Amino acid sequence: MFKFDFSGDDIDEVEGQQEQHRDELESEDRSADATRGFALKPAMYDIGDLLQNLPSRISYTLVPVNASNGTNEPPIPRREVFDIKVQIMANEDILLPSHDDVSETVAEERDQFIKKELPILLSNTEDLRTELYEGGLKSWEGAADLVEYLADEGIDIGSGLLELGCGSALPSLYLFQKHLRSLKSANSGAPIQTTSFILSDYNYSVLRLMTAPNFLLAYYTTIVLPDTQLLTSQQDLDLDITPALISQFLGFLKANNIVVKFISGCWDSKEFSQLLGYSPVTAEQKKFSLVLASETIYSLSTINTFTSLFLDCITYWGTSSERAEGRVAAKEIYFGVGGTVRQFIELVLKLGGHASTVRRITGRSSGVARVVIRVTKS
């Protein structure tokens, strides 16, 4: 197990120390093999499934959007982590997928995985543990960088998006709120084109406890609240969760041709791609214009799989007229873990893609620079 520490500012020294950490990382990866089972296989869920069994009230805060181009962007609602921990302690069964049509062997593997995952979710000391919990309850710096970039560039949702390693899904939520505001202000009676939001995180628990509730919160703060009730960033807020609110939210999505789905499990290109190709949505609904990711290239054990899947998604699930584009936010180097932006770009080029740095962030609390990378494929 390890915690990220990015306080060093000497990149050459950091790169020189990487080799000595790789044996430790490989040892962790071997020990993590014992946890492989139900929870690691890709599986798709509808947002209605994941909003079941929420507590009667959830707490959230508002994350400011710090656009440097001067635009006044509404903040993004994000469920509080302490609130999630309270819910877990009250009912550990919420970590289980809603369906139970699995074999006895798979159910046992799933239960063993959850027993190991549970103390990490309740911990205040671990950021992640390889192939068991991948840090989805924490909002990492790269997610904020990506939100700021999307706001500054005025990027729209197009036909939809896929976010890999979403966690709290701040970049997707920013574009979701932007899309909701456009619907709210539209007066045209013309048919609304289908827009898809597909969110992927390694941990089912993160999708159910953090990501899906955040979409409900975004709908509530953007559509339900009167315009006169302005919300201030960083307020501690509560929302009463009622069957009527959830029904209203799901009805709004359906009426406006918005598809929101979630994929848990590992980045196995074949299985993941099959879920996208054979999901219940129609051929048009599964298309998207953007593939997003932040802080997903830190691990040597997954960077190859991630890069291959990322390029596959751009190549095969773009719209009929043009392929999707990708944006990846990351630190230039991940001390003690192994991944680097340089390695990611080299892998993209090796697989026939194109990658270029479109934003570089320096001079903040971390000595390691952070970047946003544009990824395309001819």
Side-chain angles (χ1 to χ4, degrees), residues 23 47 146 170 321:
D23 289 340
I47 190 166
L146 193 50
L170 296 181
S321 60

PDB file of all heavy atoms in Angstrom, residues 23 47 146 170 321:
ATOM      1  N   ASP A  23      10.378  -2.967  -8.036  1.00  0.00           N
ATOM      2  CA  ASP A  23      10.264  -4.287  -7.423  1.00  0.00           C
ATOM      3  C   ASP A  23       9.158  -4.303  -6.376  1.00  0.00           C
ATOM      4  O   ASP A  23       8.405  -5.278  -6.252  1.00  0.00           O
ATOM      5  CB  ASP A  23      11.593  -4.696  -6.781  1.00  0.00           C
ATOM      6  CG  ASP A  23      12.652  -5.008  -7.826  1.00  0.00           C
ATOM      7  OD1 ASP A  23      12.266  -5.279  -8.983  1.00  0.00           O
ATOM      8  OD2 ASP A  23      13.844  -4.986  -7.486  1.00  0.00           O
ATOM      9  N   ILE A  47     -27.959   4.268 -14.246  1.00  0.00           N
ATOM     10  CA  ILE A  47     -27.956   5.178 -13.105  1.00  0.00           C
ATOM     11  C   ILE A  47     -29.117   4.898 -12.150  1.00  0.00           C
ATOM     12  O   ILE A  47     -28.984   5.051 -10.937  1.00  0.00           O
ATOM     13  CB  ILE A  47     -27.962   6.654 -13.558  1.00  0.00           C
ATOM     14  CG1 ILE A  47     -27.711   7.567 -12.345  1.00  0.00           C
ATOM     15  CG2 ILE A  47     -29.266   7.002 -14.290  1.00  0.00           C
ATOM     16  CD1 ILE A  47     -27.376   8.982 -12.702  1.00  0.00           C
ATOM     17  N   LEU A 146      -8.466  19.474 -15.406  1.00  0.00           N
ATOM     18  CA  LEU A 146      -9.250  19.149 -16.598  1.00  0.00           C
ATOM     19  C   LEU A 146     -10.525  19.977 -16.652  1.00  0.00           C
ATOM     20  O   LEU A 146     -10.926  20.450 -17.720  1.00  0.00           O
ATOM     21  CB  LEU A 146      -9.572  17.655 -16.608  1.00  0.00           C
ATOM     22  CG  LEU A 146     -10.112  17.052 -17.912  1.00  0.00           C
ATOM     23  CD1 LEU A 146      -9.240  17.448 -19.097  1.00  0.00           C
ATOM     24  CD2 LEU A 146     -10.216  15.535 -17.782  1.00  0.00           C
ATOM     25  N   LEU A 170     -15.623  14.951 -11.631  1.00  0.00           N
ATOM     26  CA  LEU A 170     -15.783  16.399 -11.754  1.00  0.00           C
ATOM     27  C   LEU A 170     -15.787  16.891 -13.202  1.00  0.00           C
ATOM     28  O   LEU A 170     -16.619  17.732 -13.565  1.00  0.00           O
ATOM     29  CB  LEU A 170     -14.700  17.115 -10.948  1.00  0.00           C
ATOM     30  CG  LEU A 170     -14.736  16.911  -9.421  1.00  0.00           C
ATOM     31  CD1 LEU A 170     -13.615  17.711  -8.762  1.00  0.00           C
ATOM     32  CD2 LEU A 170     -16.085  17.298  -8.845  1.00  0.00           C
ATOM     33  N   SER A 321     -19.482  10.937 -38.230  1.00  0.00           N
ATOM     34  CA  SER A 321     -18.807  11.933 -39.062  1.00  0.00           C
ATOM     35  C   SER A 321     -17.364  12.199 -38.636  1.00  0.00           C
ATOM     36  O   SER A 321     -16.547  12.623 -39.440  1.00  0.00           O
ATOM     37  CB  SER A 321     -19.585  13.254 -39.025  1.00  0.00           C
ATOM     38  OG  SER A 321     -19.670  13.738 -37.694  1.00  0.00           O
TER      39      SER A 321
END
